[in-house]
C-alpha cells in the first residue's frame, strides 16, 4: 500500500518564492552601474574631484576640502537621488502589477498629480518646506484613497483603473493650473521649479525621512504583498481560489505604493517617468512574472542617478526632472507603439 504525501503550499497565500538567477544578475549589474555613476556624480561640480580621490574621501582618507565637498555637500544629494529612484520604482512596480499593464504608472494614474497639487497649494500660500513635504505625502495618499473609493466595493483593475487614474490626473492638473494663476511671481517660480522635479539643495533633511519610510514600506511590499501580487496578475478569480485575500491585498499594496511615491515627491518633487520606466525595464530584462520589486529598486536608483549625472553635464545644470521627462516621454511613445502593435490598446 502506497501513501501519497501532499506538500503544503508555502506562505500564507500558497505562493512559493524562489530566487531567479537572471533577476539576481540584473539587480547586481544595476547596483554596480549605480555605484560607478555615484562616484562620477560625487566628483562632478564646480570643483571637480577625480574618481580615485572620491573613493578615498568616502573611506575617510581625503583632504579636509574634499571631505567637505564630497561628504557634506554632494553625498546627501546623491543618497536622496538613490532613495527617490528606489521609491518611485517600487511604487511603479506595484501599480503595474495591480493594473496588469506596463502603462500603470503613478505619473499616469493621478497619484503624483495629487501630491503635486497639495504641495503646490502650500507653495502658493507661502508655506515652509516641511509643510510642503507633509502636504505632498497627504496629497498622494488622498489621491490613492479617492481612486479606491471611485472603484466601489469591487475595486479597480485593468484599463478601468487606468481610465479612472487618467481622469483624476486631469482634475488635479486643472487645479494646479488654477493655483498657478493665483500666485505671485516669486511663488510661481518656486512652484514651477518644484513641479519640474529637482535634487538641487537636497540634504539629509530630505534623505532621512525617506529612508525611514522605505525601511518600513519595503518589507511590507516584499514580504507581505510581493508573493500575492505575483499570483494576482493571473486574475482575481484565480488568485482568490489560491487563497489570496484579493481586496485586502490590493488596498494594502495600493496605499503602500502611494505612500512611497508621495514621499519621493515630497523629497525631490514629481520626478517624471522613473516609476514607469524602471519596473518595465526590470521586467523586460528579468523576463519574470510578478512585480520584480528587487530588480526594479536597483533599476530605479540607476535611472535617477544617471539622469542626475546627465543633468549636471548638459552645458548648464538642469533639474533632473527635465532629463527624466525628455527620456521618459520618448520611452512612453515607444511603449504605446508596442502596445498598439500587440493589440492591447
Amino acid at each position: 500500500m502506497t501513501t501519497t504525501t501532499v506538500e503544503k503550499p508555502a506562505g500564507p497565500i500558497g505562493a512559493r518564492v524562489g530566487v531567479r538567477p537572471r533577476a539576481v544578475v540584473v539587480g547586481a549589474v544595476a547596483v554596480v552601474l549605480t555605484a560607478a555613476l555615484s562616484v562620477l556624480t560625487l566628483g562632478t561640480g564646480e570643483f571637480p574631484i577625480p574618481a580615485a580621490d572620491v573613493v578615498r574621501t568616502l573611506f575617510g582618507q581625503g583632504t579636509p576640502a574634499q571631505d567637505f565637498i564630497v561628504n557634506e555637500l554632494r553625498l546627501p544629494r546623491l543618497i536622496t537621488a538613490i532613495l527617490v529612484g528606489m521609491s518611485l520604482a517600487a511604487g511603479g512596480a506595484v501599480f503595474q502589477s495591480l493594473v496588469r499593464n506596463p502603462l500603470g504608472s503613478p505619473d499616469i494614474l493621478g497619484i503624483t498629480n495629487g501630491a503635486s497639487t497639495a504641495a503646490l497649494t502650500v507653495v502658493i500660500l507661502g508655506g515652509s518646506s516641511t509643510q510642503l513635504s507633509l502636504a505632498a505625502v497627504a496629497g498622494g495618499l488622498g489621491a490613492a484613497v479617492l481612486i479606491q473609493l471611485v472603484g466601489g466595493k469591487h475595486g479597480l483593475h485593468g484599463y478601468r483603473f487606468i481610465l479612472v487614474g487618467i481622469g483624476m490626473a486631469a482634475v488635479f492638473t486643472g487645479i494646479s493650473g488654477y493655483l498657478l494663476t493665483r500666485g505671485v511671481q516669486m511663488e510661481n517660480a518656486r512652484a514651477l521649479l518644484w513641479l519640474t522635479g529637482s535634487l538641487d539643495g537636497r540634504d539629509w533633511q530630505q534623505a532621512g525621512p525617506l529612508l525611514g519610510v522605505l525601511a518600513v514600506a519595503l518589507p511590507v511590499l516584499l514580504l507581505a504583498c510581493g508573493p500575492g501580487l505575483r499570483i494576482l496578475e493571473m486574475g482575481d478569480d484565480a488568485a482568490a481560489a489560491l487563497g489570496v485575500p484579493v481586496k485586502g491585498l490590493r488596498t494594502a499594496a495600493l496605499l503602500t505604493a502611494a505612500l512611497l511615491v508621495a514621499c519621493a515627491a515630497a523629497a525631490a518633487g514629481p520626478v517624471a517617468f522613473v516609476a514607469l520606466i524602471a519596473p518595465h525595464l526590470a521586467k523586460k530584462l528579468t523576463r519574470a512574472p510578478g512585480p520584480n520589486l528587487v530588480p526594479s529598486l536597483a533599476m530605479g536608483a540607476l535611472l535617477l542617478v544617471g539622469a542626475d549625472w546627465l543633468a549636471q553635464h548638459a552645458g548648464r545644470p538642469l533639474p533632473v526632472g527635465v532629463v527624466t521627462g525628455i527620456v521618459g516621454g520618448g520611452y512612453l511613445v515607444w511603449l504605446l507603439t508596442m502596445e498598439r502593435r500587440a493589440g492591447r490598446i
Side-chain angles (χ1 to χ4, degrees), residues 100-287:
R100 300 194 281 273
N101 191 293
L103 296 176
S105 167
D107 303 318
I108 298 173
L109 300 179
I111 306 300
T112 304
N113 303 78
S116 300
T117 300
L120 185 59
T121 303
V122 172
V123 173
I124 297 301
L125 294 176
S128 65
S129 298
T130 301
Q131 291 171 330
L132 184 151
S133 298
L134 293 175
V137 174
L141 287 175
V145 171
L146 189 57
I147 290 173
Q148 187 76 0
L149 291 176
V150 171
K153 63 179 181 179
H154 299 297
L156 289 171
H157 52 82
Y159 278 105
R160 187 180 173 208
F161 199 142
I162 294 177
L163 292 173
V164 170
I166 290 174
M168 291 291 181
V171 171
F172 289 130
T173 300
I175 295 174
S176 296
Y178 170 77
L179 290 172
L180 286 173
T181 66
R182 308 303 299 173
V184 299
Q185 184 175 0
M186 185 172 294
E187 291 168 346
N188 283 351
R190 180 188 173 199
L192 288 172
L193 178 62
W194 188 87
L195 287 172
T196 303
S198 174
L199 293 168
D200 292 344
R202 296 310 186 264
D203 56 25
W204 298 116
Q205 242 184 341
Q206 287 79 35
L210 187 53
L211 179 60
V213 172
L214 273 168
V216 174
L218 286 185
V220 173
L221 292 179
L222 290 169
L223 303 177
C225 298
L229 287 173
R230 183 174 172 183
I231 295 177
L232 195 61
E233 290 188 359
M234 298 188 296
D236 289 3
D237 293 338
L242 291 171
V244 177
V246 175
K247 186 175 180 180
L249 174 64
R250 181 176 282 119
T251 300
L254 173 66
L255 292 179
T256 305
L259 175 64
L260 284 174
V261 172
C263 289
V271 180
F273 291 117
V274 174
L276 172 73
I277 300 175
H280 191 257
L281 283 179
K283 199 159 193 171
K284 284 287 186 184
L285 293 172
T286 60
R287 300 177 187 173

